[in-house]
């Protein structure tokens, strides 16, 4: 197997608390779609942040597309595109300007950049809104724009941290269709986190279940079900972690707010 | 290079887009000029110190620059809260260039704001001693703007959210402004106050502005420029260090 991501004994502790990520090791095959499935606070975002040079690991080693984020962050940064869990657009700029900004930062030459922006805006169906300020966009439109942005510099790997959070089922379906198409046609490796089990089951070829900072099981959806002799991934999850994946409460916006305040609370 | 220019452009674009912000930030300098310039003017004149409006005009320009530039520097905190900071932190450009670009952009905006206030002071009756003094005065404005934008970046890199903002305003920005000699001449103050003013980099900025615009000052121009440039270096270095350590 040609591994595009190799992680060994990765650990992250914040302050005094228990480790957010505890000694996890895994590999991701080039061209595959991999899901990190786990409840709130499992350590999914923390793992992605370490893989994408935003956080320094407490211990362990990472290789992304042949480079070590600790010693060669810029090479790693060229290799991936990311859609963060929380919004990360500049709301005071237009959709086009957000993409243009990204393209310049990543050193994409002007002609290629303009062509790629046009192509991606069409892909995420925002061509007619390109000169609107992002602050006037709906949550779904912002998400789509972020995905377009993450793809702008032709990354080999696309990280998606709960990309469908707060999206309606139709937009969610649409989004996964794009992602599968990109994977199929451009060979992009996709690494995403979610706590929607049916999503992981449907889209990912390989699933790692993470709970309390540890990988408790991994394999294909079918293999996980077989291993636990259960019919659904929900049951498998229950068997493996001893608890149910936390149910969605309230609307998406509330959830996002809760999550943000939780994160802030935890930091202080 | 990409990082520096694109971050610079972003700041400048946002400035020109927010017409209300530009107009709004002229309100305070105008108030100070009118209330203090005309209000305290007669007292100042009786004390044999000359025209107060002329005296505070450079001080008010300095005030506008320090407020705008620290505020721009602290924009990083908003970017962190709205998540945009992450986008710049995963880009394949050095943190140093991002920090420089932001500082330069914030400083450009603050210096433009200072130039606008200069125009405003002239509208209410301020007359610089010579037109040619305006050019070096603009350079000084840019230096003041750079210094405090860099300081704003240092502060922003150390704060997690806007809750510390009031604290910074009341215990850093206000003292820097009020103790700088922007509003009163430093040549007759108690030694203790003069000593404090000597530790305030804004004192040297306002002094240099006064030298170029009024032909009077308490320090000399070489010292003024040396302090401004030196402190820009110090704050840029500190800013780069703290900015590179931000984890999002
Ligand atoms: N900057 C931080 N400082 C302190 N603790 C943190 C920080 N970031 C995350 N944590 C803690 O680390 C643990 C894992 O958080 P993480 O965000 O990785 O979870 P997650 O799996 O992404 O959850 P969610 O589904 O809610 O996004 C949590 O207990 C969280 O409170
Ligand atoms: Mg998360």
């Amino acid at each position: 197997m040609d591994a595009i991501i190799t992680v060994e004994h990765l650990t992250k502790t914040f302050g005094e608390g228990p480790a957010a990520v505890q000694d996890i090791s895994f590999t991701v095959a080039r061209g595959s779609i991999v899901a990190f499935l786990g409840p709130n606070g499992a350590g999914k975002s923390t793992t992605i942040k370490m893989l994408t040079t935003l956080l320094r690991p407490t211990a362990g080693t990472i290789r992304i597309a042949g480079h070590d984020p600790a010693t060669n962050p810029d090479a790693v940064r060229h290799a991936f595109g990311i859609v963060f869990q929380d919004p990360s657009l500049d709301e005071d700029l237009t959709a086009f300007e957000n993409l243009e900004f990204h393209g310049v930062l990543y050193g994409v030459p002007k002609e290629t950049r303009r062509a790629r922006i046009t192509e991606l805006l069409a892909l995420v169906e925002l061509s007619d809104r390109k000169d609107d300020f992002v602050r006037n966009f709906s949550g779904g439109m912002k998400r789509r724009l972020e995905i377009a942005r993450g793809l702008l510099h032709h990354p080999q790997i696309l990280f998606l941290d709960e990309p469908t959070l707060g999206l309606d089922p139709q937009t969610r379906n649409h989004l996964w269709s794009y992602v599968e198409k990109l994977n199929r046609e451009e060979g992009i490796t996709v690494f995403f986190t979610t706590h929607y089990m049916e999503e992981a089951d449907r889209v990912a070829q390989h699933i790692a279940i993470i709970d309390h900072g540890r990988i408790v099981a991994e394999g294909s959806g079918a293999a996980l079900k077989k291993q636990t002799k259960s019919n659904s991934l929900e049951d498998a999850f229950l068997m493996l972690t001893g608890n149910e994946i936390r149910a969605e409460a309230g609307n998406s916006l509330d959830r996002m707010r809760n999550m943000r305040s939780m994160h802030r609370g935890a930091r202080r | 290079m990409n990082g520096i220019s694109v971050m610079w452009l972003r700041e400048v674009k946002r400035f020109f887009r927010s017409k209300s912000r530009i107009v709004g930030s002229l309100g305070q300098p105008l108030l100070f000029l009118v209330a203090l310039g005309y209000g305290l003017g007669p007292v100042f004149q009786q004390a044999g110190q000359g025209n107060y409006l002329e005296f505070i005009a450079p001080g008010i320009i300095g005030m506008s620059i320090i407020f705008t530039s620290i505020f721009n520097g602290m924009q990083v905190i908003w970017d962190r809260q709205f998540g945009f900071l992450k986008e710049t932190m995963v880009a394949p450009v050095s943190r140093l260039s991002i920090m420089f670009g932001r500082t330069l952009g914030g400083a450009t905006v603050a210096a433009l704001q200072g130039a606008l206030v200069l125009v405003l002071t002239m509208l209410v009756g301020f007359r610089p001693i010579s037109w040619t003094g305006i050019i070096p005065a603009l350079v000084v404005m840019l230096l003041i703007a750079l210094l405090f934008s860099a300081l704003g970046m240092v502060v922003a890199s150390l704060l997690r959210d806007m809750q510390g903002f009031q604290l910074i305003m009341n215990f850093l920005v206000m003292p820097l402004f009020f103790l700088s000699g922007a509003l009163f001449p430093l040549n007759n103050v108690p030694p203790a106050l003069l000593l404090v003013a000597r530790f305030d980099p804004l004192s040297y900025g306002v002094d240099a502005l006064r030298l170029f615009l009024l032909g009077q000052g308490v320090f000399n121009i070489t010292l003024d420029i040396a302090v401004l440039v030196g402190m820009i270096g110090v704050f840029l270095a500190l800013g780069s260090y703290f900015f590179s350590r931000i984890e999002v």
Side-chain angles (χ1 to χ4, degrees):
Chain A
M1 180 183 81
D2 177 15
I4 194 162
I5 304 177
T6 309
V7 169
E8 278 166 359
H9 306 294
L10 190 64
T11 298
K12 179 74 191 180
T13 42
F14 292 107
E16 301 294 295
V21 171
Q22 298 189 42
D23 192 18
I24 62 172
S25 302
F26 61 89
T27 55
V28 172
R30 187 182 291 276
S32 62
I33 303 185
V34 172
F36 244 42
L37 175 66
N40 288 150
K44 305 183 294 296
S45 296
T46 306
T47 306
I48 285 205
K49 283 179 184 167
M50 287 191 282
L51 296 180
T52 56
T53 73
L54 281 175
L55 279 180
R56 285 180 282 272
T58 310
T61 56
I62 300 172
R63 281 194 91 72
I64 306 267
H67 305 285
D68 181 348
T71 55
N72 198 353
D74 285 353
V76 171
R77 288 168 180 160
H78 271 293
F80 70 81
I82 182 168
V83 176
F84 299 100
Q85 179 169 345
D86 300 318
S88 65
L89 295 163
D90 186 337
E91 307 234 326
D92 294 333
L93 298 182
T94 64
F96 176 81
E97 285 169 339
N98 266 283
L99 296 177
E100 175 77 1
F101 181 97
H102 183 94
V104 176
L105 266 188
Y106 281 74
V108 182
K110 188 160 180 181
E111 287 90 83
T112 339
R113 192 166 74 221
R114 293 289 157 88
R116 182 76 170 160
I117 290 177
T118 310
E119 174 191 328
L120 286 168
L121 281 171
L123 175 74
V124 298
E125 295 169 25
L126 286 173
S127 304
D128 52 334
R129 304 295 300 266
K130 81 189 225 306
D131 293 321
D132 289 1
F133 287 106
V134 170
R135 73 175 95 91
N136 300 328
F137 279 16
S138 74
M141 290 162 71
K142 287 183 192 169
R143 221 62 185 137
R144 271 147 48 204
L145 183 60
E146 288 184 304
I147 292 173
R149 186 179 67 179
L151 294 169
L152 184 60
H153 56 284
H154 289 283
Q156 305 171 48
I157 310 170
L158 183 60
F159 287 103
L160 303 165
D161 196 358
E162 312 221 16
T164 54
L165 190 73
L167 299 187
D168 60 62
Q170 194 191 343
T171 317
R172 218 187 276 176
N173 265 330
H174 225 72
L175 187 146
W176 286 123
S177 308
Y178 294 146
V179 170
E180 286 177 315
K181 182 162 169 251
L182 281 166
N183 173 255
R184 223 172 27 241
E185 291 176 7
E186 301 197 22
I188 295 182
T189 307
V190 179
F191 182 102
F192 72 97
T193 74
T194 183
H195 44 237
Y196 295 122
M197 275 166 289
E198 79 284 356
E199 230 165 45
D201 205 10
R202 183 190 125 188
V203 187
Q205 292 132 19
H206 189 86
I207 301 171
I209 295 182
I210 177 167
D211 194 23
H212 298 301
R214 294 177 191 278
I215 293 179
V216 293
E218 58 177 318
S220 65
L224 287 172
K225 281 181 253 182
K226 199 167 160 204
Q227 183 192 336
T228 54
K229 299 192 176 57
S230 42
N231 296 325
S232 70
L233 213 49
E234 268 87 355
D235 294 341
F237 190 87
L238 187 63
M239 301 269 290
L240 289 163
T241 65
N243 51 27
E244 258 177 81
I245 199 153
R246 192 171 304 183
E248 298 272 332
N251 67 27
S252 53
L253 203 64
D254 287 342
R255 267 179 46 72
M256 253 197 268
R257 281 205 198 99
N258 286 341
M259 208 118 55
R260 295 194 72 148
S261 54
M262 256 170 48
H263 278 238
R264 282 200 209 114
R267 279 181 196 133
R268 239 176 273 128
Chain B
M1 243 3 251
N2 283 344
I4 298 184
S5 58
V6 77
M7 292 310 297
W8 176 84
L9 189 64
R10 172 171 177 254
E11 300 294 323
V12 174
K13 236 181 194 160
R14 288 162 69 113
F15 174 74
F16 282 108
R17 279 215 181 130
S18 52
K19 304 276 183 300
S20 60
R21 204 175 102 198
I22 302 177
V23 176
S25 51
L26 290 178
Q28 195 182 9
L30 185 64
L31 191 67
F32 267 76
L33 274 174
V34 172
L36 297 180
Y38 292 121
L40 287 179
V43 185
F44 198 73
Q45 196 106 42
Q46 277 160 24
Q49 293 273 13
N51 184 333
Y52 191 49
L53 182 77
E54 303 234 299
F55 178 80
I56 54 165
I60 301 301
I61 295 170
M63 171 189 85
S64 146
I65 297 176
I66 184 178
F67 285 10
T68 317
S69 38
I70 294 212
F71 190 76
N72 283 342
M74 292 183 70
Q75 190 84 41
V76 174
I77 301 179
W78 285 120
D79 280 351
R80 184 197 285 246
Q81 281 194 336
F82 288 106
F84 186 73
L85 190 63
K86 285 190 294 239
E87 153 77 356
T88 50
M89 295 301 220
V90 292
V93 287
S94 70
R95 300 235 169 148
L96 196 67
S97 61
I98 290 179
M99 189 285 177
F100 273 17
R102 293 192 82 116
T103 309
L104 283 178
T108 306
V109 167
L112 283 171
Q113 189 80 44
L116 280 178
V117 174
L118 173 62
V119 174
L120 190 72
T121 60
M122 287 160 65
L123 288 179
V124 299
F126 174 58
R127 290 285 167 271
I129 44 158
S130 74
W131 290 104
T132 46
I134 291 184
I135 293 157
L138 289 173
V139 176
V140 172
M141 289 184 208
L142 190 61
L143 291 179
I144 303 175
L146 271 171
L147 195 161
F148 291 106
S149 297
L151 178 60
M153 290 291 288
V154 174
V155 172
S157 307
L158 294 173
L159 293 181
R160 272 234 158 248
D161 50 43
M162 270 295 174
Q163 296 190 354
F165 184 70
Q166 274 307 321
L167 202 73
I168 297 301
M169 279 316 273
N170 291 332
F171 290 96
L172 184 71
V173 185
M174 289 298 182
L176 280 173
F177 167 57
F178 279 107
L179 300 174
S180 69
L183 298 180
F184 49 83
L186 286 174
N187 41 20
N188 282 324
V189 296
L193 188 53
L194 180 63
L195 186 70
V196 174
R198 280 185 174 279
F199 280 98
D200 179 348
L202 186 60
S203 305
Y204 300 89
V206 170
D207 193 62
L209 284 180
R210 256 183 210 132
L211 280 165
F212 287 123
L213 295 174
L214 286 180
Q216 48 175 273
V218 281
F219 310 127
N220 70 62
I221 192 65
T222 323
L223 177 67
D224 290 339
I225 302 294
V227 170
L228 290 176
V229 172
M231 290 311 286
I232 290 171
V234 169
F235 288 141
L236 275 180
L238 283 176
S240 319
Y241 174 73
F242 289 119
F243 193 76
S244 73
R245 296 185 55 86
I246 291 184
E247 287 195 332
V248 277

